[in-house]
Amino acid sequence: MDAANQPNEDPDQPEFSGTLTLGGLEQVLGFHLRLANVAVFQDFQATMSGLALTPKQFAVLELIDNNAGASQIDFAQCLRMDKATMMALVNKLEGRGAIERRPSQVDRRRQELFVTEEGQRLLVEAKALRQGHEARFTDRFSEAELEQFKAFLRRIYQDGRTLPRPPA
Amino acid sequence: MDAANQPNEDPDQPEFSGTLTLGGLEQVLGFHLRLANVAVFQDFQATMSGLALTPKQFAVLELIDNNAGASQIDFAQCLRMDKATMMALVNKLEGRGAIERRPSQVDRRRQELFVTEEGQRLLVEAKALRQGHEARFTDRFSEAELEQFKAFLRRIYQDGRTLPRPPA
DNA sequence: TATTGTTATACTCTATAACTATA
DNA sequence: TATAGTTATAGAGTATAACAATA
């Protein structure tokens, strides 16, 4: 159907001790995407284990810092997650004193989110750790390659073209 | 610390109804990687909902098909997952009759995995559905771009350079 | 009616630890 | 001793559904 499906080059070795044949999987973009994501995620967790901060928590913390006063739903939409999921995440960040909720004066349904001073310290520490983490991957690329790589990734998720059902 | 942290261009709009400022996050490779992964994952699930096949299940099924007789641990290592996680996945595929375990004659600890005829039919159906799914993303790229994109992703995960602690 | 936040709940994915049978 | 498989379990992440307050 697609490219070469080459048979095992060494038929006397049925033990598969080392590498497996990827076959058609080799052509599947999402397959490579997921493996890359796993590799980065695992390194991130190992790097941040001292701070107990997941990539998503870090992202939300940084987003709140860059958009002080926005609401949970704003952040949830930006990161493509459910509002209930965001709720749990915000609870955790608030529970450790990194952020705080303040009821909006304009729309009393909304809770505006802000990074606390404690959160600022956490952010500084986390950003420092992230530099090492990032470098471990980015130093495999030239500056130009890196820009193109990010542009490719953006092209995948940018428009909501593939996102299923805007909630009815 | 890094690039421009431009303030809100329209200070009269504190509602953040639309887009948020990504700030430093914009420079973080893992951030783009995760969003792209989410976009592809969600489209995959929507596409495969009729077959109730997750990306990982599909990958394992196809891997078994391409490497008939390999063991669970071989597949787990290939996909960077734990043997217990693979166990659950293999149970599910076996439960729906898509694969079968056969005890190895050479090493009686091992269970060799094979795709059944039922599994072959599932694979054919799934591959057909995947074509549409894949095209929804790949048609945003030229052939050359796609190859480079995959090469970039491979560069991220290929060597285990970043994988933490080979189990002591 | 629609939206924001909230709670409760359930389901999936994942890894850890402990066990067995083999090697 | 080490490895393959297995089981039990617990944690994190996720979404769904229902509800209250507000718009």
Side-chain angles (χ1 to χ4, degrees):
Chain A
M1 198 153 281
D2 39 25
N5 196 345
Q6 69 277 55
N8 199 329
E9 271 183 311
D10 181 0
D12 283 297
Q13 185 195 345
E15 291 300 317
F16 299 95
S17 51
T19 330
L20 298 185
T21 301
L22 291 183
L25 228 37
E26 182 62 41
Q27 298 309 314
V28 177
L29 186 59
F31 176 75
H32 299 284
L33 209 41
R34 185 160 50 74
L35 283 185
N37 198 50
V38 166
V40 171
F41 179 78
Q42 290 184 342
D43 186 272
F44 187 99
Q45 286 220 312
T47 305
M48 298 289 178
S49 62
L51 297 181
L53 208 57
T54 68
K56 209 163 265 184
Q57 286 169 11
F58 191 1
V60 169
L61 190 58
E62 195 164 5
L63 270 182
I64 297 176
D65 191 43
N66 289 124
N67 303 274
S71 74
Q72 291 179 194
I73 285 198
D74 295 326
F75 296 118
Q77 284 171 348
C78 180
L79 295 178
R80 270 76 164 175
M81 58 174 110
D82 191 81
K83 58 180 180 171
T85 310
M86 178 59 74
M87 183 74 193
L89 205 162
V90 165
N91 282 343
K92 189 158 282 186
L93 288 176
E94 193 190 33
R96 68 194 282 182
I99 64 172
E100 59 182 15
R101 295 174 159 106
R102 298 186 209 152
S104 164
Q105 304 292 28
V106 190
D107 180 342
R108 277 146 64 200
R109 289 172 305 182
R110 293 165 73 93
Q111 298 268 41
E112 300 175 346
L113 300 183
F114 298 89
V115 176
T116 63
E117 285 185 25
E118 169 65 25
Q120 292 293 351
R121 280 193 293 273
L122 180 59
L123 211 36
V124 168
E125 262 193 283
K127 280 181 181 174
L129 287 178
R130 185 174 61 189
Q131 280 196 348
H133 157 72
E134 275 285 296
R136 232 163 289 145
F137 295 98
T138 55
D139 65 7
R140 308 175 190 184
F141 300 87
S142 74
E143 198 61 45
E145 284 176 330
L146 207 54
E147 277 316 304
Q148 181 157 51
F149 192 7
K150 283 186 283 195
F152 284 162
L153 291 167
R154 236 179 266 118
R155 217 185 288 180
I156 293 290
Y157 71 82
Q158 191 116 286
D159 52 18
R161 179 143 65 109
T162 58
L163 290 175
R165 32 166 203 182
Chain B
M1 197 151 283
D2 41 24
N5 196 345
Q6 68 278 55
N8 198 330
E9 270 185 313
D10 181 0
D12 283 297
Q13 188 194 344
E15 291 301 318
F16 300 97
S17 50
T19 331
L20 298 186
T21 300
L22 292 184
L25 229 36
E26 181 63 42
Q27 298 308 315
V28 178
L29 186 59
F31 177 74
H32 300 284
L33 208 42
R34 185 160 50 75
L35 283 185
N37 198 51
V38 166
V40 171
F41 179 79
Q42 290 183 342
D43 186 90
F44 186 99
Q45 286 221 309
T47 304
M48 297 290 178
S49 62
L51 297 181
L53 208 57
T54 69
K56 208 163 267 186
Q57 286 169 12
F58 189 1
V60 169
L61 190 58
E62 194 165 4
L63 269 182
I64 297 176
D65 190 42
N66 290 124
N67 302 274
S71 73
Q72 291 179 194
I73 285 198
D74 294 327
F75 296 118
Q77 283 171 349
C78 181
L79 294 178
R80 270 81 164 169
M81 58 175 111
D82 189 82
K83 59 181 181 172
T85 310
M86 179 58 75
M87 182 75 194
L89 204 162
V90 165
N91 281 344
K92 189 158 280 185
L93 287 176
E94 192 189 35
R96 66 194 284 183
I99 65 173
E100 60 183 15
R101 293 175 160 104
R102 298 186 210 152
S104 165
Q105 304 293 29
V106 190
D107 181 342
R108 278 146 64 203
R109 290 172 304 181
R110 292 166 72 93
Q111 298 268 40
E112 300 175 348
L113 300 182
F114 297 90
V115 176
T116 63
E117 287 185 23
E118 170 65 23
Q120 292 292 353
R121 281 193 292 275
L122 181 58
L123 211 36
V124 168
E125 262 193 282
K127 280 181 181 174
L129 286 178
R130 185 174 60 188
Q131 280 197 348
H133 157 73
E134 274 285 298
R136 232 163 290 146
F137 295 97
T138 55
D139 65 7
R140 308 175 189 184
F141 299 88
S142 75
E143 198 60 45
E145 284 177 329
L146 207 54
E147 277 315 305
Q148 182 158 48
F149 193 7
K150 282 186 284 194
F152 284 163
L153 291 167
R154 237 178 266 117
R155 216 184 290 180
I156 293 290
Y157 71 81
Q158 192 117 286
D159 51 19
R161 179 144 65 107
T162 59
L163 290 176
R165 34 164 203 185

